Amino acid sequence: MNPIIYAIPVFFALIGIELWVAHRRRANAYNFADAVCSIGLGAMSQVSGIFSKLVMLGIYVAVYEHLRLFSLDLRSVAAWLSGLLLYDFLYYWHHRMGHQVGVLWAAHVVHHQSEEFNLSTALRQTSSGFLFGWLFYLPMAVLGFPPLLFVAVGLIDLLYQYWIHTEQIGKLGWFDRVFASPSNHRVHHGVNDRYLDKNYGGILILWDRLFGTYADEDADEPVIYGTRSPLRRYDPVWSNLEVYAALARDAWRTRRWRDKLAVWWKPPGWRPGDLAASEAKPAFDPYVRSKYAPRVAPAVQIHVGVQFLLLMLIGADCLARAEQLPLAWGLGYAAWATASLVALCAWLEGRRRALVFDLVRLAVALAALGFSGRWFGAQWGGAVLLAIAAALAASMVAAVLVAFAATRRPTVASEP
Ligand SMILES: [Zn+2]
Ligand SMILES: [Zn+2]
């Protein structure tokens, strides 16, 4: 079973503590819609990971089986320590390239789209990292680190980074200059000139100091979070496709063949000469922009909150069972859960079509349950299935009532 499932209660408990600490300090740490979107993107990346890790791990295992130079022992402490150190070093370069190569940024951008910075931001992960991510870790396979060790140290590196996404922990002295920490990772998420493209380290920030990408957080310059081309959407599918679409558009529109290829590996923000000449873009100023915050009725927020909690349970079930399910059921379940998240985010964007999305996805699940007599392949008893059917039907009624309650036309409001 996916070990992340065991971490989920810890993630939520720590978010609860962060909310409580921020509340006591009268700080506004969370934006409801942003947090729903970030946590949803994390769930989506885990669910898509069920299928994509077959590619990533499959290549690692193939290289390990056929091309390894040494055979490191799983029982050796030195192998584990050197494996973690090497993974963290390779992660540094993977992450740095993720910010400096267009097509890699297209995957990593998801982690940076939030204009807030809290523990939910840590969960905001890409669903397309598997496309090129595996390339960076092949040296570990060649050196003979067993696949189990590789997966475990990767998980340790990822889980470590959870706690560094918070504004509630200040500077930590020497720790900030040795390890990745809340202070130096706030810098990483900044779009201010002095913070941009700094502090890539996963566990050790020493890599940044060694390779010249380290920056300290300056108390006189508050970090402005997000990206320099703000997403201004909550849609989780578009979050994942945004930059790929922009790169494909540029590659299509630019005339020179050299530029059509260069678009993919040049740094984010690079424009082919002929396109840049025809677009007058104002200079970037992080201090003049406003946060994306569509205003929606309280009824919509309550509906999305309830449906989101149910969807998290469904996501955990999907993670727990998808590997054992026949592929068609597993893919169908993952696609339905993703469509559900799209519907909830459409409500948060104040879109009129949210009601239609929501009713269609609920009706599809109800029909699938009715025809197959199962909840996406699960062998559950009649009483459970009846309860699920009742919950789906009640959700449809609630969606219609919420749409009536939210009669005031949603408007897009901006916070200064
Ligand atoms: Zn990054
Ligand atoms: Zn981060």
Side-chain angles (χ1 to χ4, degrees):
M1 194 190 278
N2 189 327
I4 289 284
I5 292 176
Y6 300 107
I8 293 172
V10 181
F11 289 156
F12 281 96
L14 290 174
I15 285 177
I17 293 172
E18 187 187 31
L19 272 167
W20 177 70
V21 171
H23 177 71
R24 282 188 57 136
R25 293 177 175 166
R26 300 184 194 287
N28 207 0
Y30 277 81
N31 163 332
F32 172 73
D34 171 82
V36 162
C37 184
S38 289
I39 298 169
L41 279 161
M44 197 171 136
S45 112
Q46 284 300 319
V47 169
S48 64
I50 298 167
F51 309 99
S52 60
K53 78 178 171 205
L54 298 174
V55 180
M56 220 168 146
L57 208 56
I59 296 169
Y60 187 95
V61 171
V63 172
Y64 173 80
E65 295 287 351
H66 301 290
L67 298 174
R68 71 173 185 267
L69 299 174
F70 311 101
S71 291
L72 297 174
D73 189 351
L74 257 183
R75 290 162 303 181
S76 151
V77 175
W80 280 87
L81 288 178
S82 58
L84 185 58
L85 190 68
L86 178 57
Y87 184 95
D88 200 50
F89 171 75
L90 297 173
Y91 174 85
Y92 168 85
W93 287 104
H94 176 200
H95 192 185
R96 185 166 168 176
M97 291 301 114
H99 280 253
Q100 294 176 352
V101 175
V103 72
L104 299 180
W105 174 242
H108 183 57
V109 68
V110 177
H111 183 61
H112 286 271
Q113 286 156 341
S114 173
E115 293 172 310
E116 311 291 331
F117 189 79
N118 51 49
L119 290 175
S120 77
T121 315
L123 301 178
R124 202 184 167 97
Q125 297 285 339
T126 180
S127 293
S128 65
F130 70 94
L131 287 175
F132 300 104
W134 55 272
L135 260 170
F136 291 86
Y137 302 98
L138 289 187
M140 289 188 70
V142 174
L143 286 172
F145 286 95
L148 179 67
L149 189 152
F150 166 67
V151 171
V153 294
L155 202 60
I156 292 169
D157 216 279
L158 183 70
L159 291 178
Y160 173 84
Q161 293 176 50
Y162 184 65
W163 78 283
I164 64 178
H165 292 81
T166 182
E167 287 193 307
Q168 305 310 320
I169 299 175
K171 291 205 171 200
L172 299 173
W174 64 269
F175 191 91
D176 290 332
R177 291 185 295 281
V178 178
F179 295 100
S181 70
S183 173
N184 61 41
H185 200 66
R186 285 194 284 274
V187 165
H188 178 67
H189 280 255
V191 288
N192 319 40
D193 281 338
R194 66 183 303 161
Y195 297 150
L196 193 71
D197 294 340
K198 296 289 191 298
N199 300 358
Y200 298 108
I203 293 180
L204 288 175
I205 209 72
L206 286 175
W207 307 122
D208 288 278
R209 294 181 59 206
L210 200 60
F211 300 115
T213 50
Y214 180 75
D216 247 331
E217 186 182 27
D218 184 342
D220 293 332
E221 180 153 0
V223 184
I224 311 282
Y225 303 108
T227 63
R228 289 199 164 196
S229 305
L231 175 67
R232 301 191 78 75
R233 290 286 307 272
Y234 289 136
D235 187 292
V237 174
W238 184 241
S239 298
N240 274 286
L241 296 180
E242 181 211 356
V243 174
Y244 291 109
L247 294 176
R249 201 168 47 236
D250 278 357
W252 176 259
R253 286 173 55 214
T254 187
R255 292 225 187 90
R256 289 179 3 166
W257 277 99
R258 209 174 66 185
D259 285 346
K260 283 182 188 297
L261 294 174
V263 156
W264 301 94
W265 71 75
K266 287 283 186 182
W270 180 84
R271 314 282 293 125
D274 55 343
L275 298 186
S278 61
E279 301 160 359
K281 237 184 168 181
F284 176 80
D285 182 349
Y287 296 104
V288 297
R289 71 190 211 174
S290 56
K291 284 184 184 176
Y292 174 66
R295 193 173 297 154
V296 293
V300 169
Q301 295 203 350
I302 294 168
H303 176 64
V304 171
V306 171
Q307 291 299 316
F308 187 67
L309 287 178
L310 293 173
L311 191 56
M312 287 299 100
L313 291 177
I314 286 167
D317 176 47
C318 192
L319 273 185
R321 289 195 300 114
E323 275 168 279
Q324 288 89 49
L325 283 178
L327 189 64
W329 271 115
L331 283 173
Y333 201 6
W336 181 79
T338 306
S340 299
L341 191 61
V342 170
L344 298 189
C345 290
W347 280 110
L348 294 174
E349 288 181 350
R351 294 192 184 272
R352 287 174 179 277
R353 60 174 182 256
L355 174 64
V356 180
F357 276 7
D358 212 10
L359 290 178
V360 168
R361 64 113 190 168
L362 291 163
V364 165
L366 206 50
L369 182 64
F371 283 118
S372 71
R374 287 178 179 185
W375 175 253
F376 291 100
Q379 310 277 357
W380 294 340
V384 179
L385 296 183
L386 213 58
I388 294 175
L392 289 169
S395 299
M396 292 177 81
V397 175
V400 173
L401 293 177
V402 163
F404 274 116
T407 42
R408 195 180 57 177
R409 196 169 185 278
T411 48
V412 174
S414 294
E415 289 174 17

